[in-house]
Amino acid sequence: MKTLRFSFLALLAFFTLSCNPDRFIEQPLGEYQNGLFILNQGNFGAANSSISFLSNDLQTFVLDAFAATNADVTLGDTAQDIGFFENRMYVVVNNSNSVQVANRFTLNAETRITSQLNNPRYVAFGNGYLFVSNWGDGMSSTDDYIAVYSLLSFNHVVNIPVSEGPERMLVVGNELFVAHKGGFGFSDQISVIDTNQLNVSETITVGDVPDGIVEFQGNIYVLCSGKPGWSSTPTSGSLHRINPQTREVTQTWNFSSQNPNHLVAGTSLYYAIDNEVFAFTPSQSALPQTAIIQTGPQGVYGIYALAHKDGKIYLGDAGNFSERGYLYIYSLSGQLLHNQQVGVIPTGIYFN
Amino acid sequence: MKSTLLLAQLCLCFSFYSLWGQNETALHLDEVEVSDRYFQRFSKPAFVQSLADSARIRQSPTLATFLSTQTLVHLRENSAGMIASASIRGGNAAQTAVLWNGIPINSLLTGQSDLGILNTWDFSKIDVKSGGSSLFYGSGAISGSIHLQSDLNFNQDLNVRILSRYGSFHSISNQAMLSGGSSRLAYQVSAQALSSTNDYPIPGRGERMQNANFTQQSMQANVGWKPREHHQLSWFNYFVQAHRNLAVVPQMGMRSKLEDRQFRSVINYSIKSRFAVFHLKNAFISEDFDYFENRFTSVRSGSGSQMLFQRWDVQKHFSYGTLSLLAEGQWQRASGDNFEPQFRRIGTLGAFWQSQNIGKWLLQTGVRREWNSVQDAPWVGNVSLGYVFTSAFQLFATTSTHYRLPTFNDLFWPGSGNPNLKPEFSRQYEMGYIWERENVKWQTTVYHYQIQHQIRWIPTLGGLWMPENVMEVENSGFETQFHYRLNIRKAQLHTQMGYTYVNAVDMTRQNRLTFVPEHKYIASATYARKRWDVGLNGSFTSFVFTTTDESAFLPSFVLLNALATLKLDDKEKWRLHLNAYNLTNTFYETQINRPMPGRNLHLAIQYQL
């Protein structure tokens, strides 16, 4: 008994001493924490996609972080999207028909998913699955699908056929919402996929060319760009609120002769029209008339990527598409805070 | 459709004015019908790389390979056998005109010529001229021109030539030619078939090109006829078709293919009278292609264009020079899965003067004006002055203007086409010298030219790309070429060296133009003795920028090639050819992510009657 009590006390002492909070140092998970990635598409056919990294304190910038970490793995041709799940990053490389899997903090390449991918576009996660939207043959309207993989084994599970041009996706509860821009044509559909049954349970009709789909304050918002001015029947953009439980469009705001894109959810909703950024809170009845950010003075060519974090707007400018692009960081009042030259055609900004 | 158009044209053309404008010195040789009289008469003074040794030309599997290894032309190739375009003096592919028997054959849709499918077998003579020639050839000949000529020989005995070649990556090529004639008739028929698996290993990477195989067939049929004295008719026809899987490196997902068909026909009729020389040229040029993004499906997108061309010209000799007057009409049509048929009609008038020697001076001048149904072309002209120091040494200086019309894709592409585009316009200055003696030739030119309103496709705010006349370009540089032939007893040594430097600047950004190497250096030596003919050639091409802000580039490279020919019998009927390219197995690319082959060998056997 005495020895037991003594050993218990000793053990207790041991634990209290070793768990001294002053000596508990958090180990960094990797070089690429606390910052943002810029996904540079590169030129189509040139296999020069890259991932740039900028730290939150703006002190560290790495032009091609993926290549810096992986000397013998080429990211590939025309990377389109990055998704994060737990400790990994998933990079959809469109013209290499692959998804590159890497550690999101160290950027060490782990594996590459290549089976059943044909013209892959965007990635989403839900219910233990990885979903990748695929166009199939760009010129065919009947071979588009969502490829489904297990997040544990990366084995292919099934291909879910959908209508033409699936792009961005959003998982809410047990459902995957897929926005169909229409590929080389124009669509106005949102496919709803049950992530248990892995089939399309219904489709929702919104406006022309649903470009962005985000969740904000419990509802789903879809921003439709409208058919562009150069198409045979141009239409204006629209914003739709969808109730995720009833899956019905509960409110629509129409733009007048404008084609908005790049919908982002932050402290309010943000989107771009040409090279200006607007903010919108759905409690407002009307769409804003004035932009919060006008990029003209900075000579921004056009907004190719848009993101929001902690009261700041981040945008990517691709220039003339044959040169290195730029990242611009603005405050919500339109003041330019920082700019950074990145790789060729920055297509997405992702926070780590 | 094509054959009925041709027939209709045949019925149109026979009005009896034509004439033969001939090079008087040719009267001493077997008479040769020269298909491009402007080139033959007016190309000097200028920097011309004559590749007259047609036997050498035929040794190369494609024109692209030949030009890149034997001339100062910079080739941009989308890997071996694929689409290849030429750049001379820093100009882009659309500013280099390719002429077939005097007719411009650049695509009406893209403005470029795909040198990957113009093979070497079908031409007697290839010349590369640096500098513009819009005066003679109209739109497109801004920075240089490549002249492909088929000549017909009268009074020639029956000649048969057959060649069969096998090379690396299962490249098989078979060629046959038959020619002959009498004093009044000349004919030449040839055909070539080429195929290759083309899955070459990428030097230094241990992997092979994918989706790379291709086949090509071409046929040429030419006939010349002299119905009576001082009248001559010649008719040249050329058909080529190619099925190419578009080669990619293993990391690329697309498996596309391209099918091309091109047909060209030109009829010349000449009459030489006491008064003047009359010449009528009628041509029909058509192209047609189908692009399959995924070659495993039948989903395709295709386009095609047709052109009818007629040129009347009169040439009169005076004691102090020659005056040429021309009138030309073109009817152009393009259509495709992407757009409704579009048309353009062009009418042109031109006048050129080439003086005889006035003391030691030579003057060449001319003016040309084009009208067209879509937009107007500017007046262009040229003044060229030459000073002949001795019969061997000549100095010259030229100032000239040139232009290029927008292509059908630029004007009419659905949604993006810009019908308000102006033609590109260039002003050029050059001077140089030519020193030529029996066994040696050395020519050098210094040049400077600018191009205004250069068309570039730029992204607009809506995300749409549109062509605009936004670029201003200034190129200056210097070219030199040296040939030397030495006869040592029974052997013959021939060396050639050439160097070009170009400083090509986009004036709107003050950056160098993309895909233009600053330096290219070529050197070759061949040694022929008894039955052997061996040669070595090499080239150095400096790096090129691939982005407009000079942030990325393709590195420079050095290539070394060797060739050998052995005559197997005394009558020289049988020959064996061996070609070895890229002896050092160097990795090189002229287009982003489109590596060219490493070391490759070709062995051919040729029979000639």
Side-chain angles (χ1 to χ4, degrees):
Chain A
M1 274 302 270
K2 268 193 182 168
T3 46
L4 197 62
R5 201 179 300 144
F6 176 75
S7 49
F8 174 76
L9 278 170
L11 224 57
L12 193 64
F14 174 76
F15 274 116
T16 48
L17 282 172
S18 60
C19 288
N20 184 339
D22 290 337
R23 290 161 62 176
F24 191 82
I25 300 163
E26 192 173 304
Q27 294 299 317
L29 291 163
E31 242 176 288
Y32 302 107
Q33 257 187 301
N34 302 320
L36 59 97
F37 291 110
I38 300 115
L39 181 63
N40 303 302
Q41 242 179 16
N43 301 104
F44 189 84
N48 58 351
S49 297
S50 59
I51 301 176
S52 302
F53 174 78
L54 179 65
S55 60
N56 284 335
D57 59 7
L58 306 181
Q59 297 303 310
T60 309
F61 176 73
V62 182
L63 180 60
D64 194 343
F66 187 84
T69 314
N70 303 288
D72 51 350
V73 182
T74 321
L75 188 57
D77 196 281
T78 315
Q80 183 67 34
D81 190 27
I82 294 180
F84 294 119
F85 188 78
E86 290 174 351
N87 273 1
R88 293 196 173 104
M89 86 163 17
Y90 296 77
V91 187
V92 181
V93 191
N94 174 270
N95 199 30
S96 295
N97 282 339
S98 339
V99 174
Q100 174 70 51
V101 185
N103 180 300
R104 71 192 274 185
F105 302 115
T106 63
L107 249 51
N108 280 320
E110 293 184 12
T111 184
R112 203 165 170 100
I113 302 171
T114 53
S115 73
Q116 303 288 330
L117 287 171
N118 187 355
N119 213 336
R121 301 285 294 165
Y122 291 89
V123 68
F125 308 91
N127 207 11
Y129 296 117
L130 165 73
F131 299 96
V132 184
S133 50
N134 287 267
W135 283 12
D137 203 342
M139 296 188 205
S140 162
S141 58
T142 52
D143 64 349
D144 301 55
Y145 61 97
I146 309 295
V148 186
Y149 303 86
S150 151
L151 273 169
L152 280 174
S153 61
F154 301 135
N155 285 335
H156 178 256
V157 175
V158 73
N159 285 344
I160 308 170
V162 293
S163 65
E164 198 178 8
E167 293 274 87
R168 294 183 194 270
M169 301 178 283
L170 179 70
V171 170
V172 178
N174 279 335
E175 257 134 14
L176 174 73
F177 293 81
V178 182
H180 293 263
K181 279 175 80 171
F184 289 131
F186 306 110
S187 174
D188 57 2
Q189 301 289 303
I190 306 284
S191 294
V192 185
I193 290 175
D194 182 318
T195 57
N196 288 314
Q197 303 295 319
L198 295 178
N199 57 13
V200 178
S201 54
E202 69 182 282
T203 57
I204 309 169
T205 305
V206 290
D208 287 326
V209 190
D211 176 72
I213 181 166
V214 296
E215 191 180 357
F216 183 69
Q217 294 174 345
N219 279 308
I220 296 173
Y221 290 85
V222 175
L223 180 67
C224 297
S225 300
K227 290 187 197 168
W230 48 265
S231 66
S232 46
T233 50
T235 55
S236 290
S238 50
L239 178 67
H240 307 260
R241 177 205 282 141
I242 298 173
N243 180 316
Q245 281 76 46
T246 63
R247 296 182 290 286
E248 275 169 12
V249 177
T250 54
Q251 194 166 358
T252 299
W253 294 264
N254 286 307
F255 290 82
S256 53
S257 305
Q258 289 164 320
N259 301 108
N261 50 19
H262 298 303
L263 182 68
V264 166
T267 43
S268 54
L269 288 173
Y270 305 97
Y271 54 85
I273 298 180
D274 293 336
N275 60 353
E276 293 182 330
V277 180
F278 293 78
F280 177 63
T281 321
S283 54
Q284 294 164 236
S285 51
L287 294 166
Q289 294 303 310
T290 42
I292 57 165
I293 297 171
Q294 287 169 321
T295 62
Q298 284 77 47
V300 169
Y301 205 96
I303 299 173
Y304 205 70
L306 188 68
H308 166 275
K309 188 166 164 106
D310 297 336
K312 291 195 279 279
I313 293 282
Y314 297 74
L315 59 93
D317 177 10
N320 70 9
F321 288 73
S322 189
E323 57 185 352
R324 284 177 56 184
Y326 276 87
L327 169 74
Y328 294 93
I329 306 179
Y330 288 87
S331 73
L332 286 173
S333 53
Q335 192 197 2
L336 177 66
L337 303 171
H338 186 73
N339 73 357
Q340 170 68 54
Q341 193 177 32
V342 293
V344 176
I345 311 180
T347 193
I349 299 162
Y350 306 90
F351 299 96
N352 208 11
Chain B
M1 184 221 170
K2 289 168 190 171
S3 49
T4 47
L5 264 175
L6 188 58
L7 205 58
Q9 205 200 305
L10 271 176
C11 297
L12 276 176
C13 89
F14 285 96
S15 26
F16 288 82
Y17 287 142
S18 349
L19 195 67
W20 108 19
Q22 271 306 353
N23 182 349
E24 284 81 86
T25 60
L27 290 171
H28 300 296
L29 310 169
D30 287 339
E31 292 141 29
V32 175
E33 159 65 5
V34 173
S35 52
D36 181 357
R37 295 161 39 264
Y38 290 137
F39 183 75
Q40 190 241 320
R41 181 171 282 284
F42 294 102
S43 62
K44 289 191 167 87
F47 189 90
V48 175
Q49 301 167 66
S50 299
L51 311 164
D53 188 351
S54 54
R56 287 248 178 277
I57 301 173
R58 278 193 294 275
Q59 279 183 0
S60 237
T62 62
L63 187 59
T65 318
F66 183 73
L67 290 175
S68 67
T69 56
Q70 305 271 3
T71 71
L72 296 173
V73 176
H74 176 69
L75 265 283
R76 263 177 84 175
E77 296 182 75
N78 283 285
S79 64
M82 302 294 128
I83 298 172
S85 59
S87 162
I88 299 177
R89 287 193 178 173
N92 63 38
Q95 293 162 348
T96 305
V98 174
L99 294 130
W100 174 74
N101 294 319
I103 310 279
I105 57 170
N106 281 24
S107 161
L108 295 180
L109 294 161
T110 63
Q112 308 175 7
S113 270
D114 180 1
L115 298 170
I117 59 172
L118 287 177
N119 59 63
T120 51
W121 183 253
D122 300 325
F123 311 114
S124 321
K125 197 161 168 299
I126 299 177
D127 290 284
V128 177
K129 175 170 183 281
S130 299
S133 326
S134 284
L135 182 63
F136 306 113
Y137 305 113
S139 163
I142 291 186
S143 31
S145 45
I146 297 173
H147 302 258
L148 310 170
Q149 321 232 45
S150 324
D151 293 334
L152 285 166
N153 294 297
F154 287 90
N155 281 327
Q156 197 197 53
D157 294 330
L158 181 69
N159 187 12
V160 172
R161 193 157 50 212
I162 300 174
L163 185 146
S164 202
R165 172 178 15 243
Y166 183 78
S168 301
F169 329 125
H170 300 288
S171 301
I172 299 170
S173 164
N174 289 304
Q175 306 162 346
M177 192 214 67
L178 177 73
S179 69
S182 63
S183 59
R184 293 175 63 161
L185 187 71
Y187 63 89
Q188 184 198 62
V189 179
S190 70
Q192 167 169 305
L194 171 64
S195 72
S196 179
T197 316
N198 206 29
D199 56 345
Y200 49 91
I202 302 168
R205 283 199 201 164
E207 47 185 24
R208 288 180 169 260
M209 293 298 279
Q210 306 289 312
N211 194 53
N213 52 339
F214 65 87
T215 62
Q216 262 186 44
Q217 296 89 32
S218 68
M219 268 189 53
Q220 185 149 272
N222 307 328
V223 68
W225 178 41
K226 296 184 190 173
R228 51 196 232 222
E229 208 184 343
H230 301 307
H231 284 234
Q232 184 166 308
L233 169 79
S234 58
W235 187 17
F236 301 93
N237 297 287
Y238 182 31
F239 174 73
V240 61
Q241 77 175 11
H243 289 241
R244 292 177 284 185
N245 285 344
L246 299 179
V248 289
V249 297
Q251 294 85 29
M252 294 265 288
M254 282 174 58
R255 295 289 181 264
S256 310
K257 78 173 172 185
L258 183 63
E259 290 177 4
D260 291 275
R261 281 162 297 275
Q262 298 176 352
F263 175 69
R264 299 158 180 131
S265 181
V266 63
I267 301 182
N268 301 318
Y269 202 82
S270 311
I271 298 179
K272 183 177 188 178
S273 82
R274 247 166 286 161
F275 173 66
V277 176
F278 295 92
H279 192 89
L280 175 65
K281 197 189 251 319
N282 276 292
F284 173 71
I285 311 280
S286 84
E287 60 169 339
D288 184 351
F289 69 85
D290 283 312
Y291 170 69
F292 296 77
E293 186 186 306
N294 177 350
R295 68 180 173 91
F296 299 106
T297 66
S298 55
V299 178
R300 73 193 225 317
S301 112
S303 286
S305 75
Q306 297 87 40
M307 174 171 86
L308 282 175
F309 177 100
Q310 183 167 86
R311 181 195 285 156
W312 299 72
D313 80 53
V314 175
Q315 212 173 57
K316 173 123 179 83
H317 296 286
F318 296 94
S319 54
Y320 32 86
T322 306
L323 175 69
S324 268
L325 296 174
L326 77 77
E328 205 177 275
Q330 281 186 42
W331 172 86
Q332 303 177 344
R333 174 185 183 271
S335 66
D337 294 341
N338 282 312
F339 55 93
E340 294 296 303
Q342 299 288 348
F343 301 85
R344 183 160 65 183
R345 289 170 301 280
I346 299 177
T348 308
L349 290 177
F352 328 121
W353 171 259
Q354 169 115 32
S355 73
Q356 296 285 24
N357 294 34
I358 311 164
K360 286 189 180 277
W361 294 90
L362 268 178
L363 173 70
Q364 186 194 93
T365 184
V367 79
R368 179 187 179 110
R369 176 74 160 111
E370 179 188 292
W371 291 268
N372 83 52
S373 58
V374 178
Q375 69 271 102
D376 268 342
W379 284 88
V380 291
N382 116 343
V383 176
S384 225
L385 208 58
Y387 186 77
V388 182
F389 274 96
T390 69
S391 58
F393 186 69
Q394 185 189 100
L395 272 184
F396 64 90
T398 306
T399 171
S400 54
T401 55
H402 310 272
Y403 69 99
R404 178 178 86 84
L405 294 173
T407 64
F408 275 79
N409 282 355
D410 292 334
L411 293 167
F412 301 120
W413 191 268
S416 305
N418 182 354
N420 299 318
L421 283 173
K422 293 193 279 264
E424 298 180 349
F425 182 74
S426 170
R427 216 178 284 280
Q428 306 192 359
Y429 309 95
E430 70 179 277
M431 42 189 251
Y433 63 82
I434 301 173
W435 182 57
E436 190 168 5
R437 302 191 65 135
E438 197 184 317
N439 285 323
V440 67
K441 179 175 178 181
W442 184 23
Q443 52 179 350
T444 302
T445 322
V446 177
Y447 61 87
H448 173 84
Y449 68 102
Q450 24 142 276
I451 305 176
Q452 296 166 1
H453 316 305
Q454 181 156 318
I455 295 169
R456 184 198 212 130
W457 282 68
I458 52 175
T460 59
L461 282 177
L464 179 69
W465 289 68
M466 280 191 70
E468 299 282 354
N469 293 103
V470 285
M471 274 177 79
E472 308 280 328
V473 162
E474 258 187 48
N475 293 5
S476 42
F478 142 91
E479 289 164 324
T480 183
Q481 197 177 29
F482 178 78
H483 289 263
Y484 181 59
R485 197 188 304 269
L486 182 65
N487 291 321
I488 320 161
R489 277 177 263 169
K490 291 185 186 162
Q492 208 185 64
L493 178 68
H494 182 201
T495 64
Q496 186 206 199
M497 278 187 290
Y499 171 69
T500 171
Y501 165 75
V502 59
N503 178 38
V505 178
D506 173 355
M507 297 306 281
T508 52
R509 301 176 57 121
Q510 295 295 324
N511 279 334
R512 279 183 42 194
L513 289 184
T514 54
F515 296 101
V516 174
E518 247 184 319
H519 313 275
K520 182 172 178 185
Y521 178 71
I522 55 169
S524 70
T526 57
Y527 180 75
R529 179 185 152 85
K530 293 193 184 167
R531 295 200 185 175
W532 281 98
D533 188 329
V534 294
L536 195 64
N537 65 60
S539 69
F540 166 75
T541 306
S542 68
F543 75 90
V544 297
F545 285 121
T546 56
T547 53
T548 56
D549 61 348
E550 300 186 0
S551 59
F553 65 93
L554 294 176
S556 62
F557 56 90
V558 173
L559 292 177
L560 210 56
N561 311 313
L563 21 100
T565 298
L566 172 64
K567 294 173 196 165
L568 294 172
D569 64 330
D570 287 330
K571 292 192 189 145
E572 298 186 11
K573 286 192 190 207
W574 292 92
R575 266 172 247 239
L576 203 64
H577 301 287
L578 179 68
N579 287 28
Y581 294 102
N582 197 357
L583 292 172
T584 51
N585 205 35
T586 304
F587 173 88
Y588 72 105
E589 315 180 295
T590 50
Q591 188 74 293
I592 308 174
N593 206 31
R594 296 279 195 266
M596 296 294 289
R599 195 177 303 123
N600 59 94
L601 301 171
H602 301 261
L603 183 66
I605 184 150
Q606 177 180 321
Y607 171 76
Q608 179 153 359
L609 194 63

